[in-house]
Amino acid sequence: MGFSKTMMPSKLQLLAVLAFAVAMLLIENQIQKLEESRARLERTIARHQLAEVEQRHSEDLGRESPPLAEKDDMVIIYNRVPKTASTSFTNIAYDLCGKNRFHVLHINTTKNNPVMSIQDQVRFVWNVTSWREMKPGFYHGHVAYLDFSKYGVQGKPMYINVVRDPIERLVSYYYFLRFGDNYRPGLRRRKQGDKKTFDECVSSGRSDCAPEKLWLQIPFFCGHHSECWDAGSRWALEQAKYNLVNEYLLVGVMEELEDFIMILEAALPRFFKGATELYRTGKKSHLRKTSEKKPPSKETIATLQQSDIWKMENEFYEFALEQFQFVRAHAVREKDGELYVLAQSFFYEKIYPKVS
């Protein structure tokens, strides 16, 4: 009898634990359903807004509109790579758009999927090139490079981007999924509750920190070809390099973000006039910082550096860095520890026929 009495509290405790676990599962399920409902609502609103825009465009086709001034008929696409200071830079655009009179639009893809369906590619290209009300426009989002020339439209946007050391980018993303950042600290992240450090993840061979997770900057620049997303593809690496040199106005590196902003302001004052000063003095200069981030050990870095995927991603990063430093060397000079933009260094002469 005494034995059964001592067992009763244990059974009650077990039932209580089970009940609590079931309750938590139900709550998690309800949260997931609410998030899915919110996502469906956002997509419905977006489709409705797009339909209104398309209707206005259709109505405008019957009327002849005056051409936009050249400086206003401009579109910039910043197909931002995750965890490369993209939020900090984008907030500068949001802060400047009112004063400099341009529009900023976020490309919000379902589940942040960087690859668009073929029908969405056509819709997006058509919207960007024909949406007069949103020009000049600055579009930003986690979307792979899209070659506008293959869709039969007139005019191409200017692409810009920023890259980061591939291991540092992955480490930042790893902790971001678990602890979030100081931008939205209360938001529940996908891997919240997982306390493993990045070192522990690598040493135990988990998929979250596998070399394949390094494969991101190359496909973002490579684009929407299937092989772009084949981790370790030499073709994808070479295509990404080609696009960086031939299709992007400027690609900076996160480690030298201020120089990137300074050159953009010099090249495109229509958008970025005042950006350098805002970055240096504004409250949003380093808006987003990943929480609880621990630097990886030398052993962890050495392990990742053994993979061919790291070697390719690092080769692309070094290539981008070299290109940026070349551009910077011809755009700015240093004096007394400060960088300044070079003045115009060309002029026209021997102009014929002479104007009487």
Side-chain angles (χ1 to χ4, degrees), residues 98-147:
K99 182 172 67 173
N100 291 347
R101 294 177 292 107
F102 65 92
H103 302 275
V104 182
L105 301 90
H106 178 218
I107 310 162
N108 188 346
T109 59
T110 304
K111 296 183 179 179
N112 281 332
N113 185 358
V115 177
M116 290 183 174
S117 66
I118 185 67
Q119 58 268 34
D120 276 347
Q121 293 175 40
V122 173
R123 291 186 190 109
F124 177 67
V125 169
W126 189 82
N127 289 151
V128 168
T129 53
S130 62
W131 199 353
R132 289 171 56 91
E133 295 88 348
M134 290 297 112
K135 290 182 179 180
F138 178 93
Y139 292 76
H140 68 96
H142 297 313
V143 180
Y145 167 76
L146 202 59
D147 180 7

Side-chain angles (χ1 to χ4, degrees), residues 121-276:
Q121 293 175 40
V122 173
R123 291 186 190 109
F124 177 67
V125 169
W126 189 82
N127 289 151
V128 168
T129 53
S130 62
W131 199 353
R132 289 171 56 91
E133 295 88 348
M134 290 297 112
K135 290 182 179 180
F138 178 93
Y139 292 76
H140 68 96
H142 297 313
V143 180
Y145 167 76
L146 202 59
D147 180 7
F148 275 55
S149 64
K150 66 188 284 186
Y151 298 92
V153 294
Q154 291 185 342
K156 292 173 63 174
M158 289 181 288
Y159 273 91
I160 62 172
N161 216 325
V162 178
V163 296
R164 183 180 186 179
D165 175 274
I167 291 180
E168 290 183 4
R169 194 207 65 79
L170 178 59
V171 171
S172 181
Y173 189 63
Y174 177 87
Y175 285 106
F176 172 74
L177 291 180
R178 285 151 180 79
F179 300 101
D181 54 28
N182 61 344
Y183 183 48
R184 290 184 291 178
L187 185 64
R188 182 177 179 82
R189 300 297 174 180
R190 194 191 316 164
K191 298 285 185 177
Q192 187 169 325
D194 181 3
K195 304 294 184 182
K196 273 187 180 291
T197 66
F198 188 78
D199 288 338
E200 292 170 339
C201 178
V202 172
S203 63
S204 59
R206 293 177 59 179
S207 61
D208 284 1
C209 50
E212 288 76 14
K213 294 295 183 181
L214 291 164
W215 191 259
L216 193 68
Q217 297 187 130
I218 287 174
F220 258 72
F221 280 79
C222 179
H224 279 69
H225 305 285
S226 62
E227 196 165 343
C228 293
W229 300 89
D230 183 7
S233 166
R234 172 60 58 174
W235 181 90
L237 170 60
E238 296 305 324
Q239 185 65 35
K241 287 181 179 180
Y242 176 88
N243 287 343
L244 185 148
V245 171
N246 293 284
E247 304 296 343
Y248 283 78
L249 174 70
L250 184 65
V251 176
V253 293
M254 177 181 158
E255 295 79 2
E256 298 172 10
L257 188 61
E258 182 178 329
D259 297 357
F260 170 74
I261 293 170
M262 180 184 293
I263 296 170
L264 270 182
E265 180 174 356
L268 296 172
R270 177 67 182 81
F271 286 84
F272 298 107
K273 184 180 180 180
T276 307

